[in-house]
Each structure stands twice: as C-alpha cells, then as structure tokens.
Amino acid sequence: MTIRLVAVDEHVLLRLGLARVVATCQDIELVGETSDLVEAAAIIGKTGAGVITIDATLGSGDGIAGAVRLREGFPDLGVVVLSPVEDDALLYRALDANLSAYLTKASQASAVLAAIRHAAVAPQSFTSPGLSAALDRRRGQHGLLSQ
C-alpha cells in the first residue's frame, strides 16, 4: 500500500525538505503541497490522499483548526501536526481534536516518517514523541505527582 501524502505548510523550504525525505521512501508518495487549506482540500479530493502534514500555526491562522475542518470533509484523513516549537498547549489541542500525530519541526526525519505511517494505518489514534513528558508536566502543574 502506498501512502498518499499532502504537505500543508506556509514554509516552502519545509515542504521541499519533506519532499526530499519522502522521495527516499517506497511506501510514501507526496501527491501535493500547498500553504492553503482550500487548495489542500482540492488536492486531497483529486488525489485520494490519505495523510496530510500540517503546520500547527499555519500562517496567521490555526493549522489545528484547519485540520479539523479538513477532517469534516475527509473523516478518515490521517493528520500529522508539525509545530515550529515544543508547545504542550498545541500538543493537547491536537490530541483533543482527535488528530493522528504531533511533532516539532525539529524532529528527526525518521520520527516524521513514522508518524506519517501511523496516521495512514490508525488516523483516529494519537501519537507524539513528547506526549509522555507533556503529561508529566501537566501532572506536576496540578500537584498529581507523588512526593
């Protein structure tokens, strides 16, 4: 099975880098790239893409909210959120929105590829390399860690 991927990010350099990494994979095909949600929906509809990567803060808007809107039209779409910074609030928003994965843009290529593969087979299941640490921080903030 080939995973059909669309990259949604305002930064051309990131999209080009992702394209270069994906080009080394036999199981992932980048079928489109854009910085626009409307265009992303058109590409998904035209190509049958099953996974997107999306910038958490897409432009001056909100990539997570945009991903939720895309999911309304494509309920089985796998969504990998890529964040410019490690941000627990963004991670929890992606988790609460039932998206597939959350990583920072500083992640290793292998981690991003693993998240794309996860999103393709389990789009409604969440993964994030930073989830455990974020949960520990949340527990600590609420005094839930044993002393």
Side-chain angles (χ1 to χ4, degrees), residues 4-16 18-19 30-44 49 51-59 62-70 74 77-84 105 116:
R4 300 174 69 72
L5 174 69
V6 176
V8 185
D9 197 291
E10 66 185 339
H11 299 101
V12 174
L13 190 58
L14 184 118
R15 295 193 319 255
L16 291 173
L18 185 60
L30 185 64
V31 296
E33 58 165 287
T34 183
S35 62
D36 179 78
L37 289 171
V38 173
E39 187 176 354
I43 294 168
I44 295 164
V51 177
I52 64 168
T53 59
I54 190 164
D55 183 346
T57 58
L58 191 64
D62 181 345
I64 293 173
V68 169
R69 287 193 305 275
L70 285 172
F74 306 96
L77 183 67
V79 178
V80 177
V81 177
L82 298 176
S83 176
K105 291 181 179 182
I116 291 167

Side-chain angles (χ1 to χ4, degrees), residues 95-119:
L95 174 64
D96 292 342
N98 198 34
L99 302 180
S100 311
Y102 174 94
L103 299 95
T104 67
K105 291 181 179 182
S107 298
Q108 294 292 317
S110 60
V112 175
L113 293 172
I116 291 167
R117 291 179 177 113
H118 165 83

Side-chain angles (χ1 to χ4, degrees), residues 132-147:
S132 179
L135 289 171
D136 287 345
R137 287 188 292 276
R138 179 183 266 185
R139 286 184 194 110
Q141 290 172 352
H142 297 313
L144 300 175
L145 296 177
S146 57
Q147 304 290 326

